Every structure is written in structure tokens, then in C-alpha cells.
Amino acid sequence: MKIEDKKRVLREMVLHRRFEERCYQAYIERKIGGFLHLYPGQEACCNGVMEAARPGHDYVITGYRDHVHAIKCGADPKEVMAELYGKETGCSKGRGGSMHIFDVKHRFMGGYALVGGPFPLAAGMAKAIQLKGGDEIAICFLGDAANNQGVFHETMNMAALWKLPVLFVCENNLYGIGTAIERSTAIVHQHKRVCAYGIEAAECDGQDVEKVYAAARVAVDHVRHGKGPYFLELMTYRYRGHSMSDSRGYRSREEEEMWKQRDPIFILRDRLVAEKALTLAEFEAMEKEIDAYIENEVIKFAEESPEPRVEDLEKYVLADRETQLPWLTGKAA
Amino acid sequence: MANIMYWEAIQRAHDEEMARDPLVICMGEDIGVAGGTYKATKGLYEKYGPLRVIDTPISEGGFTGLGIGASFLGVRPVIEIMSVNFAWLAMDQMFNSAAKVRYMSGGQLTAPCVFRAAGGAAHQLGAQHSARMEKVFMGIAGLRVVTPSNPKQAYGLLKSAIRCDDPVFINEHELMYNMKGEVPDTEYFHPLEGSEVARAGTDITLFGYNISVHWCLKAAEILDKQYGISAEVIDLYCLSPLDRAGIKASVAKTHRAVIAEEDEAPVGVGAEVMAIINEECFFELDAAPVRVHSAMVPQPYNHTLEKATIPDHEDVVKAVLKLFGKA
């Protein structure tokens, strides 16, 4: 990666980290309700892959840990935070919440909260791309535990059979909710599971964004050039619990500390410092600037935005009636 | 008007829509090279090729989800579930993805796909191939549910379902694919909402849908000829949303109602129609409405037991006579 790109990505990763930490605080303050799944520790995964792809052009879909993926695709952090606050200005108009961030204009096709659910949806988007003949690809980000759903195997089979342009990114953070991967899954290294379907696959360090970027370039090129699906496994770690109700009693503080030694932001920061492209003072100033942006713009926007109107409760259940009348009444022109 | 079979009507709707729009596709088990278990996609593979007429692996959850994902990008898939019993495996995707995506995205995304499934009790297919499951689908917000009782409806409902931007579940019946009926020669769109008066009458309303419309029609004839009772038959081809106004209008006229369904009674169409009658026209009633429904058992294999499980026109006649105090 070029120095300028690395500096930009570092800045983005800091924004992603601080955004998520601010969500944590807002949840404690009861500004955010429901379930909240946070991303700190895994930033290099989404950033490395999307640097190799084309955000806003390629179709991206993921699970419920979805805020950062949406922002990386181009969603406005203000609208994502407003969504978490349940406001009408939220990217899903306050109807979705943390687990259902959507920003279709940037081709972020949503966060889905049934584990493994996005696998076939991603393959279906790839099928649509294949039919239409575009150069987009579909990218599906999911965790390791999703691979234990039957629909994982069903989708891998169809994606390989029909050579669909879909990239599966497995963010292997070693835990499915509160169960360690070696206690739930016969093999830890998930990329081995797709070889039975003849799908190209690789494993990569998910903490170093440059390594992720390099591996993702190979993966994206493969998919974009019509060679069929690709499965990229990124070994990573989430610092916080599965959701806010999780106090992490199932793992040791020593293990967490060990992973924090390989923090994706610090790895990139230290590299830029060593390359004399950044000073620690500059980094700290950037952090402060991002915190100020989050507080003065993102949180302010969410706080000040209006609630959805109760009169609009049933809006969006079905397509606007007026537009569907020929089929609803049988009076087609 | 052509006199064609139910499966031919469905095949024609597919063919016309696929010829019109290259983004209309169909997918399911054995629908392509094999031509479809009930021939509903016969000849389409040869005409439109394997990219648009997709023989899927036996992976109902997977291929249903795949069709839904394709619909996010404007493709209009018609997804055949070979037997509605297998739809249990696809319901996560149908309900959690297709039916909810418009709402949870605040109107940004929609899943304009059609799910077709053959349901109902046929001939001794046993517990896992005989289910009637329309009650499950009609309770899901964001999903339209229709169920054709004749070839004209089978043709026109599929045409409208493909054009509609909402996901639509079409409940067909294994015993009805060879039924013949008149279908207009020109293009026809059957309304996705409402109900139809299949036979006008004055003394009682018989509500049916799909196969039970035919029990009701046969019962109405017997009631007329043998007992002098004039029964109106309402065809509830749309199960979600149910036609409140149509139900009310007929009961307000006849003051009596019997609801016939092939499904078990609890949480079913009959229960729902009764609730609507209670809410809309309770004081119009001259007698308590009655449901005719199957026994609450997993479908038995044995022929005699199977017959005892599923109601027919005679059960409808009995229910009406009892309601009139003639039995």
C-alpha cells in the first residue's frame, strides 16, 4: 500500500474504533437499545478487504456486527449513529437498529441477524450480477461460527457449481457467541472446509491490514475475473464480548492481553512511525480530532434527530400501495 | 378462452413473463431438464437455457435464500418448492430475509420474488409429504399469500405475483395440477387481493380456498337440489391480507357462515375468518359460524385413516344441515 493510503486507512480505522467505543458509552447511557455487537480488534479485516475491492460499486452484505462495514462502504457515520439511536434520520429510518444497518445507495446490502443467513443472499446477488453481466462482485463478511450452519454448505456448493462472482470473507475471531471455536467446530482453520467444493481459499493474519489487503487483492481479482467464488479466512479477535450482555467469562484476561499486543491500529501506526511517515504526536492529534468529530457531529446529529412518527408504524411493510395497484386489483393497463 | 389444465396455466404464465423480461428466472428441484414434477415449467429450459431455468441442488434453505438475494438486485425469481412440506427448510430465508427486508431497511431494499409450492394431501403420501401449511405463511408481515382454485387464477395470480414488488407465496395443490378450466386467450392479471363470489346464494355463505372451494361448490349444489338451501360460495384466493370487506358483505347478506379448509383447525384460515366475522358483522349472524377442517393428526398413510383425516363436500353439507337444525 502507498504511504498516503496507509495514512488514510489508519485514520479510518481510528474512526471505526472510536465510533464503536462511543456506541458502548451510549449504550451504557441507555441511548442505544436492543443488542449491540461491537467491532474493536477486527478493524483490519473489513478495511483490508474493502481497500482491495471497490466500495460503493461491489455489493457487500454481513451479519449483525455491521456498523463498520457500512461506514467503510460509504455510509455516513452520522446516519449509522442515528440508526442506533432509533431515529428517523437513521440509515434504516430507525426501523432496523444496530443489527440491521442498510445503505443501499452505497451498495451496503445490510446486516442480518440470523447467523449464516447472508451466505445464500450473497450468492444470489452474485447470481444477479452474472445474469446482468456487470463487473461487480458480491462480498459476504461473516464470522467463523456461521460456518456451522447447514446453509453455509448449501451456498458453497451452489456458488462453486455455478461459478458465481462472490467473495466469502470469514472473520475468524475464535468465538461463536461465548463458545470457543475448538469447543464447537472440528477444525479451527475454516478455509480448509471449502476445499471439498473446489473453492479457492486462503488464510491470512487478520490483524495486519497490509497483509489482509495483499491477500484480498488476490481474492478479489480471482472473483472479478470470472474464476468463481473465493473464500478468505482472516484470523482475528474481538476485544469486547459478543454483545453488550457478555462479560467474557469464557476466556482469560491473559489471552485478551496477548491479542491486544497485536492491535491492528497499533501495528499500522507503528509501521508508519518507523517509516517516518507519522509521529506519535500527529497520531494523538488525529485521535483527538476524530473524537471531536464523533462528539460534535455524529452524536449531536443522532441526539437532535427526530423520532419516527407512530402514524408511520406500518410504512415499509409492503411496497407503496399506489405503485402496485395494477397487480393488487388486476386492472393492469 | 382456452380450456387448459392448471399446470399448463402456470407454465404459460412463466413463459409469457420470461419472454417479456430477461430478469425473470425460475429455479427449483427438477424444474429444468426434467420439466418440473408437476410440469409447471415444462419446455422452459429448452427455451430460456440453464442460466434462467435453474435446476437447483436439494437445498431448500440455500436456493431460496439465493433467489431472494438475486431479487435484491432486481431479478424476479419464481422459486418452486417441490412440496410445501420442504418449505420448513426455507422459511428462515422466506420470513427473516424476504418478508422483513423492506421494513428493516426503512424501504431501501425489497425482495420481489415469488415462492410457489405444491401442498395438500394427495394420495397416501404420509405425514411428511401431505401438510397444508398456508396458515404458517399468512401470519407473516411483509409476505403476500395467494392460493388459486382454478387454472384461470393459477395463471393470473402468477402473472401478478411476478410483477408485484412484494414477495408473494403461492399455495398450489398436488391434486389440482390436472384440473381443467377456462383461461382467457389474452394476457390476464388476477388481483392479488380480494375474494371472488364463486356461486351466489342467499341463505348461507360457504368460505373456501384452493381445493376446498370445490367442496363448497359441490356442497352448494347438493344443498340447493336436495334441501332447498341457497348457499353462496366465496373463494378466498387471497389469504394475506384476507378480504375483510368481502367476508363482511356476504355474511351481512346470508347471516350464516361455514368455513371449509383442508388444514387442521387451530390458528387456521377458519379461525381467522371467524374472527373477522366477529369483528365486522357479529350482529348480522343468525347462527354461530362453523368450521370444517381436517383432524389434528400427522397425516396417516393408511387409505381409510387418510380419508377420515381430510374433510370433503359431504362434511360441508353436514355442517350446513347441522347449522340449520336439519341434522
Side-chain angles (χ1 to χ4, degrees), chain A residues 122-154:
Chain A
M125 294 194 297
K127 171 71 195 173
I129 293 165
Q130 190 183 61
L131 273 172
K132 293 174 162 188
D135 71 341
E136 305 95 335
I137 65 170
I139 305 176
C140 177
F141 288 92
L142 283 175
D144 47 288
N147 303 344
N148 289 334
Q149 293 281 13
V151 81
F152 164 79
H153 292 279
E154 297 179 20

Side-chain angles (χ1 to χ4, degrees), chain A residues 276-293:
Chain A
K276 307 225 179 295
L278 182 79
T279 66
L280 283 176
E282 282 169 345
F283 178 78
E284 280 164 22
M286 182 175 78
E287 280 188 314
K288 284 206 180 80
E289 191 193 318
I290 286 168
D291 281 345
Y293 161 72

Side-chain angles (χ1 to χ4, degrees), chain B residues 22 42 298:
Chain B
K42 193 180 171 196

Side-chain angles (χ1 to χ4, degrees), chain B residues 103-172:
Chain B
Y103 199 82
M104 65 190 190
S105 70
Q108 291 179 76
L109 258 192
T110 188
C113 41
V114 181
F115 311 112
R116 292 179 41 245
H123 297 293
Q124 292 189 272
L125 300 184
Q128 295 186 339
H129 279 67
S130 304
R132 291 76 60 193
M133 286 163 37
E134 47 280 5
K135 63 166 73 170
V136 182
F137 295 90
M138 62 190 277
I140 304 296
L143 185 67
R144 295 184 175 278
V145 182
V146 294
T147 183
S149 68
N150 56 53
K152 181 184 173 191
Q153 288 184 3
Y155 164 77
L157 285 171
L158 178 53
K159 294 270 293 181
S160 294
I162 291 171
R163 301 286 184 106
C164 181
D165 288 340
D166 297 318
V168 181
F169 176 76
I170 304 183
N171 181 63
E172 296 165 4

Side-chain angles (χ1 to χ4, degrees), chain B:
Chain B
M1 286 275 186
N3 194 31
I4 61 173
M5 284 193 249
Y6 195 90
W7 72 262
E8 290 176 299
I10 298 168
Q11 193 274 354
R12 183 180 143 195
H14 275 107
D15 191 10
E16 286 177 9
E17 291 301 302
M18 292 185 76
R20 177 188 61 88
D21 179 355
L23 290 180
V24 175
I25 65 171
C26 55
M27 51 194 292
E29 294 151 4
D30 277 5
I31 66 148
V33 173
T37 308
Y38 302 101
K39 297 192 274 192
T41 51
K42 193 180 171 196
L44 300 178
Y45 181 87
E46 292 74 12
K47 199 164 171 185
Y48 300 105
L51 277 182
R52 293 180 64 200
V53 181
I54 305 161
D55 280 314
T56 64
I58 302 176
S59 308
E60 285 83 5
F63 73 70
T64 300
L66 192 145
I68 294 165
S71 80
F72 289 173
L73 270 60
V75 171
R76 302 255 162 178
V78 182
I79 303 165
E80 178 178 298
I81 306 285
M82 185 187 273
S83 159
V84 77
N85 299 264
F86 314 156
W88 290 116
L89 294 161
M91 282 183 192
D92 168 43
Q93 290 294 338
M94 289 176 175
F95 298 167
N96 278 313
S97 301
K100 293 177 184 170
V101 74
R102 173 181 284 274
Y103 199 82
M104 65 190 190
S105 70
Q108 291 179 76
L109 258 192
T110 188
C113 41
V114 181
F115 311 112
R116 292 179 41 245
H123 297 293
Q124 292 189 272
L125 300 184
Q128 295 186 339
H129 279 67
S130 304
R132 291 76 60 193
M133 286 163 37
E134 47 280 5
K135 63 166 73 170
V136 182
F137 295 90
M138 62 190 277
I140 304 296
L143 185 67
R144 295 184 175 278
V145 182
V146 294
T147 183
S149 68
N150 56 53
K152 181 184 173 191
Q153 288 184 3
Y155 164 77
L157 285 171
L158 178 53
K159 294 270 293 181
S160 294
I162 291 171
R163 301 286 184 106
C164 181
D165 288 340
D166 297 318
V168 181
F169 176 76
I170 304 183
N171 181 63
E172 296 165 4
H173 198 291
E174 297 198 22
L175 290 182
M176 291 168 70
Y177 287 102
N178 289 333
M179 161 194 287
K180 278 194 149 185
E182 301 278 317
V183 176
D185 294 324
T186 51
E187 190 168 54
Y188 167 71
F189 294 90
H190 196 84
L192 291 172
E193 293 185 349
S195 62
E196 244 168 42
V197 180
R199 176 187 172 121
T202 53
D203 300 334
I204 186 166
T205 304
L206 309 179
F207 290 100
Y209 62 95
N210 191 255
I211 201 167
S212 69
V213 170
H214 301 281
W215 310 339
C216 292
L217 286 170
K218 207 163 171 187
E221 212 173 310
I222 294 168
L223 289 166
D224 180 33
K225 288 205 175 121
Q226 297 181 20
Y227 301 95
I229 294 170
S230 165
E232 175 148 298
V233 177
I234 300 290
D235 181 339
L236 300 169
Y237 60 80
C238 173
L239 295 181
S240 183
L242 272 169
D243 182 18
R244 229 162 229 281
I247 292 168
K248 181 182 174 183
S250 184
V251 175
K253 183 170 81 174
T254 65
H255 311 292
R256 293 177 185 83
V258 165
I259 308 108
E261 58 189 320
E262 200 191 74
D263 215 336
E264 301 92 339
V267 209
V269 177
E272 203 52 44
V273 172
M274 273 186 164
I276 290 172
I277 292 171
N278 264 342
E279 289 161 3
E280 299 287 344
C281 47
F282 180 80
F283 293 105
E284 296 283 357
L285 287 172
D286 284 348
V290 172
R291 286 178 292 179
V292 173
H293 53 84
S294 80
M296 186 72 168
V297 295
Q299 189 78 358
Y301 163 71
N302 173 274
H303 179 60
T304 307
L305 294 180
E306 178 169 78
K307 255 185 87 91
T309 305
I310 302 296
D312 60 14
H313 65 279
E314 288 173 8
D315 296 293
V316 179
V317 171
K318 273 185 223 157
V320 172
L321 294 179
K322 197 171 165 196
L323 195 145
F324 276 97
K326 293 188 178 183

